[in-house]
Amino acid sequence: MANRKRKHLYQYVVIGLGRFGTSVAQTLYQMGCEVLAIDSDEEKVQAMANIVTHAVQADATDESAMRALGLRNFDVAIVSIGDIQASILATLVLKEMGIKRLVAKALSELHGRVLEKIGADRVIYPERDMGMRVAHNLVSGSIVDYVELAPGYSIIEVAAHGEYTGRSLKDLDLRARYGVSIMAIKRGNQVIVAPGANDYIESGDTLIAIGKDEMLEFLEKAET
């Protein structure tokens, strides 16, 4: 079991070590966070032992077992259990324990609605969201990545059109033209966060933009 003191942002507990849970737990740990990974499968727990802060075999639907682990002291709990009934029960247990913030993975819209009703602070749909991102990428060759923020609003990474090359954000005036904001410019290994009006677009740049979906479509197809 890894037990390393680290300078961390928050303390997370990830319950359910399938592909999604494992990826979340490992990524959080790599970002410098304290991560407790929990699963009822000993083999999965052993596989995580050296890539998170702690890995424990336990039944997340057992309230006494969860209380013994001191989970109420964690900042965020992520429930990523593949079994719907166990997912709902674990969410209920954690909510009753007073966990500060609870994020739960849903397998369907109905599952998600139940999780919301029993107190999940945020419900995520990894398979649905990934499907949407892949579809947007396939339909548009210029969209590098896509994340839905809320109905009608998204963030996209879009390859800068050749017509943008050598022009500043002030010249392009994308906010006025399309109602979108450029959050960052990716240039090779460099990322220009919150670029200013005088920042120029270079050949090969990727723009990270936020706005209404229909306006982002104009940005993607635009020729200025």
Side-chain angles (χ1 to χ4, degrees):
M1 179 185 298
N3 185 7
R4 288 155 281 187
K5 289 288 184 180
R6 340 181 70 209
K7 182 179 179 181
H8 60 277
L9 303 172
Y10 290 101
Q11 291 182 311
Y12 292 84
V13 55
V14 179
I15 301 172
L17 300 177
R19 284 179 296 180
F20 176 75
T22 296
S23 177
V24 169
Q26 185 173 2
T27 302
L28 287 170
Y29 183 76
Q30 291 171 346
M31 293 171 65
C33 302
E34 295 281 349
V35 180
L36 170 62
I38 299 174
D39 199 283
S40 58
D41 187 319
E42 183 178 3
E43 190 173 321
K44 290 180 179 179
V45 170
Q46 289 298 322
M48 292 294 290
N50 293 316
I51 53 178
V52 293
T53 314
H54 299 286
V56 176
Q57 181 184 7
D59 180 358
T61 65
D62 183 338
E63 185 173 356
S64 61
M66 295 299 98
R67 288 190 181 278
L69 291 171
L71 298 192
R72 67 176 301 168
N73 297 319
F74 282 76
D75 298 295
V76 183
I78 299 104
V79 178
S80 60
I81 301 173
D83 179 89
I84 291 177
Q85 182 176 348
S87 166
I88 292 169
L89 289 174
T91 300
L92 274 172
V93 166
L94 293 170
K95 193 66 181 179
E96 290 178 357
M97 286 174 57
I99 200 86
K100 297 173 187 175
R101 180 167 173 78
L102 203 162
V103 178
K105 180 187 81 169
L107 303 179
S108 67
E109 294 290 340
L110 178 59
H111 183 200
R113 289 200 297 272
V114 173
L115 291 170
E116 288 174 349
K117 287 184 180 297
I118 62 177
D121 297 295
R122 183 183 177 191
V123 175
I124 54 178
Y125 301 84
E127 293 184 355
R128 182 200 68 181
D129 294 345
M130 181 55 70
M132 292 170 65
R133 293 168 76 173
V134 170
H136 277 78
N137 183 270
L138 291 173
V139 168
S140 172
S142 61
I143 291 185
V144 179
D145 204 354
Y146 162 91
V147 177
E148 182 182 36
L149 292 177
Y153 290 85
S154 303
I155 296 175
I156 65 170
E157 289 188 28
V158 59
H161 290 279
E163 293 83 358
Y164 293 170
T165 301
R167 302 179 66 182
S168 70
L169 292 180
K170 180 180 180 180
D171 292 336
L172 293 171
D173 203 10
L174 298 175
R175 183 189 290 272
R177 294 172 66 90
Y178 307 116
V180 303
S181 297
I182 303 302
M183 300 170 60
I185 300 171
K186 293 174 69 175
R187 183 171 297 152
N189 294 324
Q190 179 187 10
V191 178
I192 303 170
V193 178
N198 294 322
D199 280 304
Y200 279 76
I201 306 298
E202 296 183 3
S203 178
D205 281 355
T206 297
L207 307 179
I208 302 176
I210 183 171
K212 291 184 178 180
D213 291 342
E214 61 267 27
M215 295 296 102
L216 291 171
E217 288 182 11
F218 284 122
L219 172 65
E220 170 209 344
K221 299 172 182 177
E223 294 186 4
T224 58

